[in-house]
Amino acid sequence: MPLTTGWITNTRDFGTAATNIVVNMKNADQVNSATIIVQVLGSVDSSSFVPVYASSFILPPNTSQVMTYFIAGNVAYEVQYAVMELINEVVVSVFGIDESGNLVTNQGYSTPQFAFISQLDPLT
């Protein structure tokens, strides 16, 4: 079941812009591995979004993974992810990080804040 952050504004007009996105994933299932797909979409003009990154990997039981994606220059971005198996114990969070490594205010999302979508955006 795919989930999304929705569009996240990333400009200095409203504070500090993120140069990187940190995606934290944890598989709390004690037995089953999880196959996870992460897509990052970016926009340089806030009118069209294009795929910037796509990652697919297996997260073993009771493990965590941290992925960092460079998004400087995008005035907006979106993070989508899907867990391919029906495992409800995968927890994901997304945080924008500035050039000094500090969290960007209002660019943090935890699992309950993601919105359901019918499918991941197709990569073109």
Side-chain angles (χ1 to χ4, degrees):
M1 128 177 76
L3 298 148
T4 183
T5 58
W7 292 5
I8 300 169
T9 301
N10 186 42
T11 64
R12 292 192 185 275
D13 293 343
F14 305 112
T16 304
T19 56
N20 292 293
I21 304 167
V22 176
V23 179
N24 306 293
M25 294 157 280
K26 178 180 179 180
N27 182 1
D29 193 297
Q30 299 296 310
V31 178
N32 300 301
S33 294
T35 302
I36 301 173
I37 298 171
V38 175
Q39 290 185 178
V40 177
L41 307 166
S43 177
V44 295
D45 60 8
S46 290
S47 65
S48 62
F49 281 73
V50 297
V52 180
Y53 297 100
S55 303
S56 177
F57 54 91
I58 295 173
L59 192 58
N62 200 31
T63 62
S64 299
Q65 176 79 32
V66 177
M67 306 291 286
T68 303
Y69 301 97
F70 180 77
I71 51 96
N74 287 286
V75 298
Y77 66 90
E78 177 181 4
V79 178
Q80 299 178 354
Y81 79 93
V83 179
M84 302 314 292
E85 296 81 11
L86 295 175
I87 297 175
N88 293 328
E89 297 191 48
V90 173
V91 179
V92 176
S93 62
V94 173
F95 293 94
I97 305 292
D98 69 15
E99 63 271 5
S100 300
N102 300 310
L103 293 173
V104 176
T105 305
N106 297 325
Q107 288 193 23
Y109 291 81
S110 61
T111 300
Q113 294 171 297
F114 284 88
F116 291 102
I117 53 177
S118 61
Q119 64 183 17
L120 295 175
D121 279 0
L123 296 176
T124 56

Coordinates of all heavy atoms in Angstrom, one line a residue, residues 1-7 37 39 41 78-82 114-122:
M1 N 0.8 -1.2 0.0 CA 0.0 0.0 0.0 C 0.9 1.2 0.0 O 1.7 1.5 0.9 CB -0.9 -0.1 1.2 CG -1.0 1.0 2.1 SD -2.3 0.7 3.4 CE -1.4 -0.4 4.5
P2 N 0.9 2.0 -1.1 CA 1.7 3.2 -1.2 C 1.3 4.4 -0.3 O 0.1 4.6 -0.1 CB 1.6 3.6 -2.7 CG 0.9 2.5 -3.3 CD 0.1 1.7 -2.3
L3 N 2.3 5.1 0.1 CA 2.0 6.3 0.9 C 2.9 7.4 0.4 O 3.9 7.2 -0.2 CB 2.4 6.0 2.4 CG 1.5 4.9 3.0 CD1 2.3 4.1 4.0 CD2 0.3 5.5 3.7
T4 N 2.4 8.7 0.8 CA 3.2 9.9 0.3 C 3.2 10.9 1.4 O 2.3 11.0 2.2 CB 2.5 10.4 -1.0 OG1 3.3 11.6 -1.4 CG2 1.1 10.9 -0.8
T5 N 4.2 11.8 1.3 CA 4.2 13.0 2.2 C 3.4 14.1 1.6 O 3.0 15.0 2.3 CB 5.7 13.6 2.2 OG1 6.1 13.9 0.9 CG2 6.6 12.6 2.9
G6 N 3.0 14.0 0.3 CA 2.4 15.1 -0.4 C 3.5 16.1 -0.8 O 4.7 15.9 -0.4
W7 N 3.2 17.2 -1.4 CA 4.2 18.2 -1.8 C 4.7 18.9 -0.6 O 3.9 19.4 0.2 CB 3.6 19.2 -2.8 CG 3.2 18.6 -4.1 CD1 3.3 17.3 -4.5 CD2 2.7 19.4 -5.2 NE1 2.9 17.2 -5.8 CE2 2.5 18.5 -6.3 CE3 2.4 20.7 -5.4 CZ2 2.0 18.9 -7.5 CZ3 1.9 21.1 -6.7 CH2 1.7 20.2 -7.7
I37 N 10.0 0.1 -1.6 CA 10.4 1.0 -2.7 C 10.2 2.4 -2.2 O 9.2 2.8 -1.6 CB 9.4 0.8 -3.9 CG1 9.6 -0.7 -4.4 CG2 9.7 1.8 -5.0 CD1 8.6 -1.0 -5.5
Q39 N 10.5 6.5 -3.6 CA 10.7 7.4 -4.7 C 10.7 8.8 -4.2 O 9.9 9.1 -3.3 CB 9.5 7.2 -5.7 CG 9.5 6.0 -6.4 CD 8.4 5.9 -7.5 OE1 8.4 4.9 -8.2 NE2 7.6 6.8 -7.7
L41 N 10.4 12.6 -5.6 CA 10.0 13.5 -6.8 C 10.4 14.9 -6.4 O 10.3 15.4 -5.3 CB 8.5 13.4 -7.0 CG 8.0 12.0 -7.2 CD1 6.5 12.0 -7.1 CD2 8.4 11.4 -8.5
E78 N 8.5 15.6 -3.0 CA 7.6 14.6 -2.4 C 8.3 13.3 -2.2 O 9.1 12.9 -3.1 CB 6.4 14.5 -3.4 CG 5.4 13.4 -3.0 CD 4.3 13.3 -4.0 OE1 4.3 13.9 -5.0 OE2 3.3 12.5 -3.7
V79 N 8.0 12.6 -1.2 CA 8.6 11.3 -0.9 C 7.4 10.3 -0.9 O 6.4 10.5 -0.2 CB 9.3 11.2 0.4 CG1 9.8 9.8 0.7 CG2 10.5 12.2 0.4
Q80 N 7.5 9.3 -1.7 CA 6.5 8.2 -1.8 C 7.2 6.9 -1.4 O 8.4 6.7 -1.7 CB 5.9 8.1 -3.2 CG 5.2 9.3 -3.7 CD 4.7 9.1 -5.1 OE1 4.9 8.1 -5.7 NE2 3.9 10.1 -5.5
Y81 N 6.5 6.0 -0.8 CA 7.1 4.7 -0.5 C 6.0 3.6 -0.5 O 4.8 3.9 -0.3 CB 7.9 4.6 0.8 CG 7.1 4.6 2.1 CD1 6.8 3.3 2.7 CD2 6.6 5.7 2.7 CE1 6.1 3.2 3.8 CE2 5.9 5.6 3.9 CZ 5.6 4.4 4.4 OH 4.9 4.3 5.6
A82 N 6.4 2.4 -0.7 CA 5.5 1.3 -0.6 C 6.2 0.1 0.0 O 7.4 -0.1 -0.3 CB 5.0 0.9 -2.0
F114 N 1.7 10.3 6.8 CA 1.7 10.0 5.4 C 0.3 9.8 4.9 O -0.6 9.3 5.7 CB 2.5 8.7 5.1 CG 4.0 8.9 5.1 CD1 4.7 8.8 6.3 CD2 4.7 9.3 4.0 CE1 6.1 9.0 6.4 CE2 6.1 9.5 4.1 CZ 6.8 9.3 5.3
A115 N 0.0 10.1 3.7 CA -1.3 9.9 3.1 C -1.3 8.7 2.1 O -0.3 8.5 1.5 CB -1.7 11.1 2.3
F116 N -2.4 7.9 2.1 CA -2.5 6.8 1.2 C -2.7 7.3 -0.2 O -3.4 8.3 -0.5 CB -3.7 5.9 1.6 CG -3.5 5.2 2.9 CD1 -4.1 5.7 4.0 CD2 -2.7 4.1 3.0 CE1 -4.0 5.0 5.2 CE2 -2.5 3.4 4.2 CZ -3.2 3.9 5.3
I117 N -2.0 6.6 -1.2 CA -2.2 6.9 -2.6 C -2.5 5.6 -3.2 O -2.1 4.5 -2.7 CB -1.0 7.6 -3.2 CG1 0.3 6.9 -2.9 CG2 -1.0 9.1 -2.8 CD1 1.5 7.5 -3.6
S118 N -3.1 5.6 -4.4 CA -3.5 4.3 -5.1 C -2.3 3.6 -5.7 O -2.3 2.4 -5.8 CB -4.6 4.6 -6.1 OG -4.0 5.4 -7.1
Q119 N -1.3 4.4 -6.1 CA -0.1 3.7 -6.6 C 1.1 4.8 -6.6 O 0.8 6.0 -6.5 CB -0.3 3.3 -8.1 CG -0.6 4.5 -9.0 CD -0.8 4.0 -10.4 OE1 -1.1 2.9 -10.7 NE2 -0.7 4.9 -11.4
L120 N 2.3 4.2 -6.6 CA 3.4 5.1 -6.8 C 3.4 5.8 -8.1 O 2.9 5.2 -9.1 CB 4.7 4.3 -6.6 CG 5.0 3.7 -5.3 CD1 6.2 2.8 -5.4 CD2 5.1 4.7 -4.2
D121 N 3.9 7.1 -8.2 CA 3.9 7.7 -9.5 C 4.8 6.9 -10.4 O 5.9 6.4 -10.0 CB 4.5 9.1 -9.3 CG 3.5 10.1 -8.8 OD1 2.4 9.8 -8.6 OD2 3.9 11.3 -8.7
P122 N 4.3 6.8 -11.7 CA 5.2 6.0 -12.6 C 6.4 6.8 -13.0 O 6.4 8.0 -13.1 CB 4.3 5.9 -13.9 CG 3.2 6.9 -13.7 CD 3.1 7.2 -12.2

